[in-house]
Amino acid sequence: MDINSFSPMMPTSPLSMINQIKFEDESDLKDLFITVDEPESYVTTIETFITYRIITKTSRGEFDSSEFEVRRRYQDFLWLKGKLEEAHPTLIIPPLPEKFIVKGMVERFNDDFIETRKKALHKFLNRIADHPTLTFNEDFKVFLTAQAWELSSHKKQGPGLLSRMGQTVRAVASSFRGVKNRPEEFMEMNNFIEIFSQKINLIDKISQRIYKEEREYFEEMKEYGPIHVLWSASEEDLVDTLKGIASCIEKCCKATEKQMSGLSEALLPAVHEYVLYSEMLMGVMKRRDQIQAELDSKVEALTYRKGDTDLLTEEIGKLEDKVECANNALKADWERWKQNMQNDIKSAFTDMAEENIHYYEQCLATWESFLTTQTDLHIEEDSEDKL
Amino acid sequence: MEQASSDLEGQLQPAPLEPLGYADGELEAAVGEKAEGAQEESSGLDTMTENNFWLKKIEISVSEAEKRTGRNAVNMQETYTAYLIETRSVEHADGQSVLTDSLWRRYSEFELLRNYLLVCYPHIVVPPLPEKRAEFVWHKLSADNMDPDFVERRRIGLENFLLRVASHPTLCRDKIFYLFLTQEGNWKETVNETGFQLKADSRLKALNATFRVKNPDKRFTELKHYSDELQSVISHLLRVRARVADRLYGVYKVHGNYGRVFSEWSAIEKEMGDGLQSAGHHMDVYASSIDDILEDEEHYADQLKEYLFYAEALRAVCRKHELMQYDLEMAVQDLASKKQQCEELATGTVRTFSLKGMTTKLFGQEAPEQREARIKVLEEQISEGEQQLKSKNLEGREFVKNAWADIERFKEQKNHDLKEALISYAVMQISMCKKGIQVWTNAKECFSKM
């Protein structure tokens, strides 16, 4: 069953929606596969920017072909996100990686930065593809399939700059008015989002800090091992022992390196995505509140008989529908989002724990095998003495 | 004359290694009740058995440390730590030990004891004291001498020092050492009364000898190089170890923050809550496990530090050899010049420059009686000089013999101790890895139940 926020026959029970969403997310039913790769520098007289190659493979009928290859830049992704937010103001749109990283970035086009961004963009598109509603969005389809010039002309359609500005102004104004009638469940949701945002930000900082400390530990360990080799040059009787220890330290260093890369490839991006999600969620809450505020202001106007009563009543009717749709869309998506968050966090931390176990197991094996060589020698030496 | 100089050259050769053979009559063996009987050292092996015998007889421990306040030399109030030294004699038959002596000493008294041993036994590699101030500190350790962890490690170091002295075949029989363990009051005065400070070689003299000595025993030169290398490499190792410890501490402790945040987060989660909470607990366990791990490593560092300080003791023996050798060379030179002067006076030829010679030339020859008198004086000096040279030579050879025997003993001890320490380091790493596996396995279980 197609779930679309524009569909009039939307089921109202979140539970039934969850069941359907789970059904739709089964990987063997997946019919849209997207990859983002090959970042390339594109130089013009005015500017330099990076484009990413996007390959789409699909079996869907509404697509003209089964395979597409396009190049997109970050600006294009921003445009897509904007369109999705416009079309589905109370759905939880996946987050985009940041425009700039404030601290420590000298050049925008640093290799690590590009690599991280590329992976995040890949995640972004795949999350949209997995979303029961967003996956059928028209702008999304255009983004994946249109050639450069087609995309430009498509972008020019739709509400102009002025009307977008107007929307922003109204949004700001309504947020100043505050939320008087926010329903209970959305109060809870808001509370959750606030605390979640705090905590996930802290976890992000802690994880980054752990990576930094591990890096510094690794650097010191690299210097530590060789000193034992140096020492062995002046100690005839301790050569094997000292060299053995140096070799163990070196192996543990390699294990540390591997563990660190696991951290930076899996845990850190996963946690960071949810930091961005938490910002996104606050935006979604605001938009929902804004839609409700529109209704509330019309109701207020009617109550105080400001303006044409009939017109107002008609408008209120439409707005009431709009509010109901928005709320239901959000409620359903919220449950879906929470489920995903739980799974993602669970698997990110479980994998991190697994990496750490593996790290310690490797080091343990290294030291244990060193110890057996030493104690074997000890036994040999002792028996020689006794002879 | 040629014969004389070749004699002297022969006397300058370092003596070949011979088994330990002298009995130091100056010092009384006095440790333990059976000590009086065992004054003679007949051969190395017997000495070892005797001392193992003594070690069975007495146990020494530095069992407590206490903060004290008192007045120092300039009558100002000071705080210091005193250490309780207990000596037990072990009954031969049933292995029961009885407390025979118990007294309090402070670090400065240990220093006095060691300085005394250094001066009186220059051929021995005297065991070092634990460090006066905390060095190779990483950020958590306090550099404060009053810090309880530092005091504890020092207590262990002081006990180790006493045990090393007590197990040394020569040092254990020293009377001052015996009194250190048994006579609380007046011990300092007793030590000073020995006048050992007068026997001490001046630093300046030693430095001078090091630069000017022409023909030191090659083994001592090599030993000096070895001790420099040992000191340099162990210092480097300890410095980097401290930095590694610091970083490791950081990694573990930051994980503790996960504990706190997970716990706070679990409050808003219905299904994930329990898993987060218990995983958080394991993060706390992980973070606090580093304290014990690094405490153990500190003991390992102390073992290495002992040998770092031993390098200085090795150098002290080398310096003494250089000093004696230089002294010998100077005596040979002096004797040769006197003999030459004598010869010149006797034959009337002037080959060497002397003030007397110049004044003689300027103001006329001296009377034959004066010349005779001078020759006589010189001949006496030469005779004395030859006696002194003989005894210096003998001393020098004895010193080299005995020093080298102790150095061999030291080498064995060092190889054994360092190997043990390095292996214990591996054992510590294994223990750390096992703890890590356990904590993360528990954490993984909690995460997977979220």
Side-chain angles (χ1 to χ4, degrees):
Chain A
M1 178 171 158
D2 242 16
I3 297 160
N4 190 310
S5 57
F6 295 135
S7 153
M9 16 174 290
M10 218 165 57
T12 46
S13 142
L15 202 60
S16 61
M17 283 185 71
I18 289 169
N19 291 337
Q20 278 169 317
I21 289 159
K22 271 195 187 151
F23 182 67
E24 297 246 5
D25 276 341
E26 293 293 354
S27 48
D28 41 308
L29 290 174
K30 199 165 156 167
D31 56 3
L32 191 65
F33 298 87
I34 307 170
T35 53
V36 177
D37 59 12
E38 279 192 21
E40 260 172 34
S41 218
Y42 195 90
V43 184
T44 66
T45 45
I46 319 163
E47 53 176 346
T48 313
F49 55 86
I50 305 272
T51 61
Y52 302 86
R53 181 175 75 163
I54 301 173
I55 297 180
T56 308
K57 296 194 171 108
T58 180
S59 58
R60 285 192 199 162
E62 54 268 35
F63 283 77
D64 295 333
S65 165
S66 61
E67 215 173 297
F68 296 89
E69 187 179 313
V70 297
R71 285 214 150 255
R72 298 282 181 251
R73 59 185 290 193
Y74 185 78
Q75 255 182 38
D76 299 329
F77 285 84
L78 271 177
W79 167 84
L80 174 62
K81 176 156 174 259
K83 298 298 284 179
L84 292 173
E85 281 175 346
E86 218 182 282
H88 312 280
T90 57
L91 283 187
I92 301 166
I93 313 293
L96 269 180
E98 286 111 327
K99 216 162 184 184
F100 313 107
I101 309 226
V102 185
K103 318 188 260 187
M105 270 333 262
V106 178
E107 226 216 83
R108 265 196 308 156
F109 303 143
N110 167 280
D111 280 346
D112 281 339
F113 175 73
I114 292 170
E115 186 61 25
T116 311
R117 183 180 261 196
K118 183 200 82 176
K119 288 185 180 150
L121 294 174
H122 174 100
K123 197 102 222 257
F124 171 74
L125 292 177
N126 277 286
R127 286 228 191 254
I128 297 172
D130 291 338
H131 193 290
T133 310
L134 298 175
T135 191
F136 298 107
N137 181 282
E138 189 58 33
D139 293 308
F140 182 50
K141 177 157 163 275
V142 171
F143 179 91
L144 292 174
T145 59
Q147 291 308 304
W149 61 269
E150 288 174 325
L151 183 64
S152 305
S153 72
H154 180 87
K155 277 189 192 179
K156 289 185 179 113
Q157 300 164 12
L161 182 64
L162 285 173
S163 78
R164 282 207 296 272
M165 279 174 67
Q167 271 178 4
T168 318
V169 170
R170 260 178 281 145
V172 171
S174 63
S175 67
F176 279 153
R177 235 177 290 152
V179 190
K180 284 175 282 185
N181 303 322
R182 194 194 276 156
E184 182 60 37
E185 59 198 322
F186 295 110
M187 290 299 283
E188 270 176 41
M189 195 184 290
N190 194 61
N191 185 51
F192 182 97
I193 290 168
E194 268 175 24
I195 296 178
F196 173 80
S197 172
Q198 256 179 42
K199 302 311 164 194
I200 199 72
N201 267 288
L202 282 171
I203 290 178
D204 183 57
K205 285 201 183 77
I206 294 167
S207 308
Q208 308 264 11
R209 179 76 189 278
I210 288 175
Y211 181 81
K212 179 173 164 282
E213 294 284 342
E214 281 184 3
R215 161 121 269 147
E216 304 202 337
Y217 169 70
F218 170 72
E219 294 297 329
E220 296 294 354
M221 283 293 269
K222 273 203 303 197
E223 204 189 315
Y224 190 44
I227 301 175
H228 294 81
V229 177
L230 186 70
W231 190 359
S232 72
S234 50
E235 299 287 348
E236 277 169 34
D237 294 299
L238 298 173
V239 173
D240 290 332
T241 312
L242 286 168
K243 282 196 168 152
I245 290 193
S247 147
C248 286
I249 293 175
E250 200 191 310
K251 291 198 181 110
C252 291
C253 260
K254 290 208 170 78
T256 305
E257 220 177 4
K258 183 165 171 286
Q259 186 257 3
M260 267 165 41
S261 77
L263 207 64
S264 77
E265 275 162 28
L267 184 73
L268 295 184
V271 169
H272 198 68
E273 196 195 10
Y274 278 93
V275 167
L276 298 171
Y277 253 128
S278 71
E279 282 163 31
M280 165 63 63
L281 286 169
M282 300 210 260
V284 171
M285 283 305 291
K286 277 209 177 77
R287 286 196 288 275
R288 190 220 71 87
D289 288 344
Q290 186 208 330
I291 292 172
Q292 189 179 307
E294 268 183 68
L295 171 66
D296 290 348
S297 74
K298 296 287 177 190
V299 169
E300 203 185 304
L302 189 66
T303 316
Y304 296 114
R305 299 190 188 278
K306 289 181 187 163
D308 187 336
T309 321
D310 289 331
L311 188 65
L312 279 174
T313 314
E314 196 189 325
E315 280 179 341
I316 286 172
K318 284 194 191 136
L319 284 171
E320 275 174 349
D321 282 342
K322 191 174 175 193
V323 166
E324 198 182 327
C325 277
N327 286 349
N328 290 334
L330 177 55
K331 268 194 290 191
D333 215 21
W334 173 248
E335 292 305 325
R336 180 178 175 272
W337 178 85
K338 270 188 80 176
Q339 191 61 41
N340 276 344
M341 183 270 278
Q342 222 162 297
N343 290 338
D344 290 344
I345 296 288
K346 171 173 151 174
S347 78
F349 279 100
T350 309
D351 288 347
M352 187 260 261
E354 181 61 50
E355 281 280 348
N356 285 340
I357 293 170
H358 188 66
Y359 162 77
Y360 280 114
E361 279 175 348
Q362 268 191 297
C363 292
L364 180 67
T366 307
W367 287 107
E368 275 183 337
S369 97
F370 164 76
L371 201 65
T372 46
T373 61
Q374 292 304 300
T375 44
D376 283 345
L377 284 172
H378 253 206
I379 292 166
E380 273 173 39
E381 281 166 13
D382 283 347
S383 57
E384 271 171 32
D385 288 343
K386 281 178 186 139
L387 286 173
Chain B
M1 289 302 147
E2 271 71 41
Q3 193 208 8
S5 29
S6 65
D7 254 0
L8 293 170
E9 267 175 25
Q11 283 172 326
L12 280 173
Q13 294 297 326
L17 187 61
E18 280 169 69
L20 203 67
Y22 81 99
D24 198 335
E26 258 182 67
L27 308 159
E28 287 165 31
V31 184
E33 311 130 299
K34 293 278 164 109
E36 268 82 74
Q39 282 207 3
E40 300 297 307
E41 273 186 285
S42 40
S43 76
L45 275 166
D46 281 358
T47 311
M48 283 309 287
T49 337
E50 274 172 338
N51 285 297
N52 287 338
F53 176 66
W54 278 339
L55 268 184
K56 275 193 246 166
K57 296 296 287 183
I58 58 154
E59 282 170 12
I60 306 176
S61 65
V62 177
S63 49
E64 274 171 50
E66 209 175 75
K67 232 191 210 170
R68 300 260 180 97
T69 47
R71 298 228 162 246
N72 67 5
V74 289
N75 207 31
M76 286 177 57
Q77 240 208 353
E78 57 164 1
T79 317
Y80 62 91
T81 311
Y83 301 87
L84 180 65
I85 304 175
E86 294 178 316
T87 314
R88 290 181 160 74
S89 86
V90 184
E91 286 313 303
H92 200 38
D94 55 4
Q96 291 284 338
S97 72
V98 173
L99 187 68
T100 53
D101 289 285
S102 147
L103 41 68
W104 293 87
R105 293 266 182 237
R106 52 185 295 191
Y107 187 83
S108 56
E109 291 174 284
F110 281 86
E111 278 184 309
L112 183 60
L113 173 65
R114 184 162 191 271
N115 287 338
Y116 169 82
L117 293 173
L118 278 172
V119 171
C120 298
Y121 302 88
H123 62 287
I124 303 265
V125 184
V126 177
L129 284 172
E131 54 195 355
K132 194 159 186 155
R133 266 164 282 281
E135 278 171 55
F136 306 107
V137 171
W138 58 281
H139 90 277
K140 189 202 156 202
L141 283 184
S142 170
D144 171 26
N145 283 5
M146 290 292 149
D147 176 65
D149 285 332
F150 178 77
V151 168
E152 173 60 18
R153 293 206 332 275
R154 189 188 253 192
R155 183 194 66 75
I156 294 170
L158 291 173
E159 186 177 278
N160 189 52
F161 167 75
L162 291 177
L163 291 172
R164 292 249 191 239
V165 175
S167 61
H168 189 286
T170 310
L171 298 177
C172 65
R173 307 146 120 214
D174 184 271
K175 179 158 189 174
I176 296 290
F177 173 61
Y178 173 69
L179 292 175
F180 183 86
L181 297 173
T182 55
Q183 180 193 44
E184 186 154 21
N186 249 351
W187 176 80
K188 274 216 293 232
E189 288 74 5
T190 313
V191 185
N192 290 328
E193 272 163 29
T194 62
F196 81 93
Q197 278 107 338
L198 300 168
K199 279 209 280 172
D201 298 312
S202 85
R203 261 313 209 185
L204 201 59
K205 246 179 87 186
L207 201 63
N208 186 43
T210 305
F211 285 129
R212 299 235 189 128
V213 68
K214 295 200 189 79
N215 211 15
D217 184 320
K218 280 201 176 59
R219 288 176 296 177
F220 284 95
T221 314
E222 276 167 25
L223 186 67
K224 218 166 46 139
H225 287 150
Y226 168 77
S227 68
D228 287 340
E229 271 169 29
L230 186 71
Q231 182 173 43
S232 147
V233 81
I234 294 185
S235 305
H236 192 195
L237 194 84
L238 287 172
R239 257 199 312 276
V240 179
R241 188 213 73 88
R243 294 205 301 256
V244 169
D246 199 20
R247 291 296 162 209
L248 197 62
Y249 183 79
V251 171
Y252 273 70
K253 286 299 177 189
V254 179
H255 280 85
N257 291 322
Y258 272 149
R260 184 177 48 89
V261 178
F262 282 169
S263 175
E264 291 164 4
W265 184 1
S266 69
I268 54 169
E269 293 286 349
K270 292 191 192 83
E271 289 138 44
M272 275 211 313
D274 289 335
L276 272 175
Q277 179 90 309
S278 46
H281 162 73
H282 292 297
M283 293 297 98
D284 286 332
V285 169
Y286 182 68
S288 62
S289 71
I290 192 68
D291 295 315
D292 283 343
I293 289 168
L294 289 178
E295 177 77 28
D296 286 344
E297 255 198 41
E298 225 34 64
H299 289 297
Y300 165 70
D302 283 340
Q303 286 175 291
L304 294 184
K305 261 183 231 176
E306 195 194 11
Y307 280 92
L308 174 69
F309 302 143
Y310 255 125
E312 179 53 44
L314 279 175
R315 266 208 298 277
V317 176
C318 294
R319 271 200 302 270
K320 183 66 182 181
H321 165 74
E322 282 169 348
L323 202 66
M324 290 179 80
Q325 182 65 14
Y326 177 69
D327 210 30
L328 189 70
E329 285 170 6
M330 286 295 103
V332 167
Q333 212 180 311
D334 187 56
L335 192 64
S337 104
K338 285 206 164 75
K339 283 190 177 173
Q340 189 140 53
Q341 276 190 309
C342 201
E343 184 210 325
E344 285 168 12
L345 280 175
T347 59
T349 56
V350 182
R351 269 185 289 167
T352 54
F353 176 81
S354 75
L355 195 59
K356 200 76 178 141
M358 278 313 293
T359 51
T360 314
K361 280 213 155 151
L362 290 171
F363 301 113
Q365 292 260 346
E366 54 185 350
E369 301 86 42
Q370 285 178 310
R371 211 179 339 137
E372 284 299 321
R374 284 215 357 243
I375 290 173
K376 191 112 203 225
V377 166
L378 272 174
E379 278 176 347
E380 268 172 36
Q381 285 180 340
I382 288 167
S383 166
E384 244 181 75
E386 275 174 341
Q387 285 288 77
Q388 274 187 8
L389 191 62
K390 245 195 206 151
S391 70
K392 274 197 163 91
N393 244 309
L394 193 67
E395 245 182 73
R397 286 220 280 250
E398 284 297 307
F399 178 87
V400 168
K401 216 168 27 185
N402 299 328
W404 209 257
D406 198 53
I407 285 161
E408 290 298 328
R409 180 204 62 81
F410 168 76
K411 277 188 186 160
E412 291 250 349
Q413 176 198 294
K414 168 201 59 121
N415 287 336
H416 173 267
D417 290 350
L418 286 178
K419 185 154 189 181
E420 221 175 68
L422 291 168
I423 287 175
S424 81
Y425 182 75
V427 171
M428 277 187 268
Q429 299 308 302
I430 287 171
S431 154
M432 179 171 93
C433 290
K434 285 187 174 159
K435 277 190 204 170
I437 291 171
Q438 188 177 54
V439 166
W440 285 105
T441 307
N442 292 339
K444 183 181 167 194
E445 214 185 292
C446 297
F447 287 132
S448 59
K449 288 198 183 125
M450 287 195 322

